[in-house]
Amino acid sequence: MFLKPVTSLDAWGALIYAAKVGHNYLGPLFVLGLLTMLIKWFKNNLFNKVDWEWFKQGGGILPNGKHPQAGFCNGGEKVWYWLLATAGVVVCVTGLIMDFPIFGQLRSDMQLANIIHAVFSLGLIAAAMGHIYIGTAGTEGAFEGMATGYVDETWAKQHHGLWYDEVKDLPENQAENQVGSDRSNA
Ligand code: HEM
């Protein structure tokens, strides 16, 4: 929509064709990636009483200044997990229905799948914008945690205190000023 008026019709056509074909092939890889993450982090994302407190305190952004407790994942991270486990799976299933028209699905089924796919995927993109902000500029130290797999002890205590208590005495975590356990493997 934005590029069409400022590019040649040929360049615009080539670009959207490449985007469409790229999406057709990358979609199934997204399915594998999503399923791997959902399986890997399932046990860390079951809700418990601690999360209820986390929600009551607005995840720490309310003006009363309290920083709610959290384990490996906090309440907000768990909501994002379950959004991906539901809406994300809908996007995958409808994508596969469109990608592989070899299971007897009708054109009308694929049209319906296209509409559901567009609504859920755009909803996920909107939520992802907030998620990306919180995971980078919005929370000091979060980006370094993702990039290196390590967080420092103060950050661990502040943001995931219950997880910190669980892992702080493990032998591999005795290096000075570091919680040396890779959060992605905990
Ligand atoms: C977050 C992930 C995804 C986003 C944001 C996304 C977004 C979209 C959007 C906006 C469309 C166009 C809908 C319309 O016609 O208005 C589309 C079409 C499509 N998507 Fe996805 N999608 C995602 C994941 C997937 C996956 C996982 C698959 C396959 C497994 C897939 C396969 C397709 C196919 C086959 C089409 C139809 C392309 C065509 O028109 O020929 N998508 N997607």
Side-chain angles (χ1 to χ4, degrees), residues 87 90-91 94 98 112-126:
V90 169
V91 168
T94 51
M98 290 186 284
L112 185 63
N114 200 0
I115 293 168
I116 297 173
H117 188 83
V119 170
F120 277 77
S121 61
L122 294 180
L124 272 187
I125 290 182

Side-chain angles (χ1 to χ4, degrees), residues 19-21 23-32 34 84 88-100 110 113-115 117-125:
K20 183 211 141 26
V21 174
H23 191 79
N24 283 357
Y25 284 99
L26 291 173
L29 292 182
F30 182 93
V31 176
L32 293 180
L34 182 67
L84 289 169
V89 169
V90 169
V91 168
C92 290
V93 171
T94 51
L96 291 172
I97 290 172
M98 290 186 284
D99 241 340
F100 300 103
M110 293 169 73
N114 200 0
I115 293 168
H117 188 83
V119 170
F120 277 77
S121 61
L122 294 180
L124 272 187
I125 290 182

Side-chain angles (χ1 to χ4, degrees), residues 132-174:
I132 291 167
Y133 170 74
I134 291 178
T136 54
T139 309
E140 199 182 349
F143 190 80
E144 288 82 346
M146 281 187 292
T148 63
Y150 290 87
V151 294
D152 70 45
E153 207 166 344
T154 311
W155 194 95
K157 271 189 228 169
Q158 263 181 358
H159 294 271
H160 297 271
L162 301 175
W163 169 70
Y164 170 77
D165 291 340
E166 268 171 43
V167 298
K168 68 172 191 266
D169 295 327
L170 296 177
E172 66 266 32
N173 291 335
Q174 303 312 312

